[in-house]
Amino acid sequence: RHHATVTIVHACTKNPERITCEADIVVTAAGVPSMIRSSWLKPGAVVIDVGTCPVEDPSAEYGYRLVGDVCYEEALSIASAVTPVPGGVGPMTIAMLLCNTLDSAKRLYAFT
């Protein structure tokens, strides 16, 4: 509706850095820890990191910590907004799942 171009980048895409550095909004769910570096991002871009990856960390309580697909510290210096991992999109995902469950139940029982 607003003349947006949507591009999907996956594991077999040639030169993914060249594609993502032109994007105003980057949504990532690759499952590769810190794959997207600041050089991949356009200054001022909005970055939504959906990927969650455990990485070994002996200093952490369980021996690992969760990180996203985006190198968070680097992205903060170039992007206008970055969702953290953990604690970014997870709560929103849960809220939307509950909302959709409630809507489905209302339809099922013809409840308005």
Side-chain angles (χ1 to χ4, degrees), residues 21-81:
C21 74
E22 296 177 5
D24 295 317
I25 302 170
V26 175
V27 180
T28 177
V32 180
S34 301
M35 177 180 78
I36 298 177
R37 311 303 293 232
S38 62
S39 62
W40 289 39
L41 301 173
K42 177 180 179 178
V46 173
V47 180
I48 302 170
D49 194 347
V50 183
T52 304
C53 314
V55 294
E56 287 186 30
D57 183 356
S59 65
E61 182 179 358
Y62 298 106
Y64 69 93
R65 61 186 169 85
L66 295 176
V67 298
D69 295 338
V70 178
C71 187
Y72 184 75
E73 293 76 20
E74 288 183 15
L76 283 176
S77 66
I78 196 162
S80 61

